[in-house]
Amino acid sequence: MLIVRNLSKSYKAGEPILRDVSFELNRGEMAVLTGPSGAGKSTILKMIYREERPDSGEIKLDQYNVTKIRPYQIPRLRRHLGVVFQDFKLLPERTAWENVALALEVAGKSRRQISSRVTELLRLVGLLQRSGNYPHQLSGGECQRVAIARALANQPLLLLADEPTGNLDRENSQSLLELIREINIQGCSVLMATHNVDLLAALPYRKLYLKNGMVTESIE
Amino acid sequence: MRFIFIFIRETIRAITSKYWSFIGSVLTVFLASLLAASFALIIKNTGLAVEKLKAQASIEVYLKADIDSLTQEYLHGNLVANKAILNVKYISKDMALERLKVTFGEDMLSGIVGNPLPASYELTLEPLVYDGDYYQRLVDSIKALPGVDDVGYVPAAVAKLKNVFTIVAVLGFFIGILVILACGFIIGNTIGVSVANRHLTFYVMRLVGASNSFVRIPYLLMGLLIGLIGTVLAMLVLQIGANSFSGTIIPIVSLDSTEVWSFIIAGGLIGLMGSHLALHRYIDL
């Protein structure tokens, strides 16, 4: 479903951050992209959701050739992706409910569809009772759960998680991983970038090690 | 339909997040529009005054008391043949006295014995004659005709007023351009500040798949609203002011509905343009 082929990227001439990176992710699969800080994990994710463009190489996601799509097609591509960040990126002036609903509104869903889907998602992440709370009224773990609910709103083909536990304590991290695992079991493919060694040990998934701009190891 | 509701809600959100900036922009557009519309009003009234004066400024050609019929016929033919003269009307001595009676009343003129007023020709001129020296040359040539005792006219008043009109119109034009640029800049800046403050909102909206128009429309609506509210307020103040001031010192003709709507539509369009440029400048869409 996700094919990354010969991906290269450099921000400064002569200092490539990614060199000839290739990997694949099957439908329903979960993989962890790991490596030291600055290895290019986030850059790969950004190229998948088309915030960045590679210097060379190709990314294919289902029917989309991500590297070749035109700018007007990007919104449609992103509705097939869910993205979760370390800093949550929730809109502070909107409640948990409104943050999740936003993803459905931009996709043109009806009010009835939005209401039903947001309820379903907030129940899934265990925050239905706190749907009227603003991000500053929620804990870090709860904020990240709202962010996950928002990422899943349009039933994405792939959930991209960029250091999702980076701002969470151990307990919240474990709880969040359980949630991501559950989401994966329900059929959503997941690609998670992390450099958290403790977390890696707890994850029985395929790991892609990124070092010196290349994927050096891939273990099932 | 559901998008309209969302756009309205997002516009309100954008306005309320920086409402002082919004109010400031509306006030600035209001003042700028008031200035531009005041100039339009002055130009309109000066133009009307010029036209009115032109219509009133007929030349009176007073005939000599002893003019014979042959000379009068020659004089009449000469005046009628002149292309600068639109209309020639003969005012007999009796008609002149009647007019005087109407103007001043019978009692005021009761002491007058007989009819001391001369017969005359009342000339209406072609509008272009009022420009330049041509007017004076025409008066001089009429004075030189046989049988003419004197010529009564409004010396150069029309030409002077026309000069004032031209100056006001040119000044108004440049002020109008300045006002348009200033309004566009102010609205653009307000939108820019609002956009810069909501960088995260734009990022998240685009991340979850919002199209460019979904992100842009609330801000275009905000610019449109600033332009419309500012100009509508300016029109209200100007029309109320013109109507209450009119007649106290001089009569003022206020702007008609087409002119008012033109101002309001122009205000809205300037608002749209300002926000369009700001969106291009502050976010890469």
Side-chain angles (χ1 to χ4, degrees), chain B residues 217-271:
Chain B
I217 286 173
Y219 288 88
L220 291 174
L221 286 177
M222 184 174 163
L224 180 71
L225 274 180
I226 293 173
L228 286 179
I229 296 173
T231 41
V232 165
L233 287 177
M235 289 300 112
L236 278 174
V237 169
L238 190 76
Q239 295 297 77
I240 292 169
N243 286 335
S244 25
F245 189 71
S246 181
T248 53
I249 299 173
I250 48 164
I252 295 174
V253 178
S254 51
L255 299 178
D256 62 34
S257 61
T258 313
E259 289 158 341
V260 168
W261 278 112
S262 302
F263 262 97
I264 293 171
I265 291 167
L269 288 177
I270 292 167

Side-chain angles (χ1 to χ4, degrees), chain A residues 49 51 75 78-79 83 85 89-94 98 102-103 105-106 108-110 150, chain B residues 2-3 5-6 9-10 13 198 200-212 214:
Chain A
Y49 63 83
E51 193 181 316
R78 288 181 178 170
R79 286 175 208 164
V83 190
F85 298 91
K89 296 212 188 304
L90 294 180
L91 299 178
E93 73 280 6
R94 291 169 205 244
E98 288 168 338
L102 180 69
E105 285 172 353
V106 304
K109 297 284 190 281
S110 71
R150 183 181 64 191
Chain B
R2 59 180 174 269
F3 275 123
F5 167 76
I6 292 169
R9 191 196 64 201
E10 291 300 318
R13 230 184 252 275
R198 302 188 77 216
L200 177 66
T201 308
F202 285 122
Y203 184 81
V204 170
M205 277 185 169
R206 299 178 75 191
L207 192 72
V208 295
S211 61
N212 282 348
F214 188 94

Side-chain angles (χ1 to χ4, degrees), chain A residues 196-216:
Chain A
N196 187 328
V197 180
D198 291 345
L199 205 66
L200 282 169
L203 293 169
Y205 297 107
R206 183 177 157 212
K207 296 178 183 72
L208 303 164
Y209 286 96
L210 197 59
K211 199 176 178 186
N212 297 327
M214 291 182 284
V215 174
T216 56

Side-chain angles (χ1 to χ4, degrees), chain A residues 3 32 40 60:
Chain A
I3 301 167
V32 182
K60 283 184 177 171

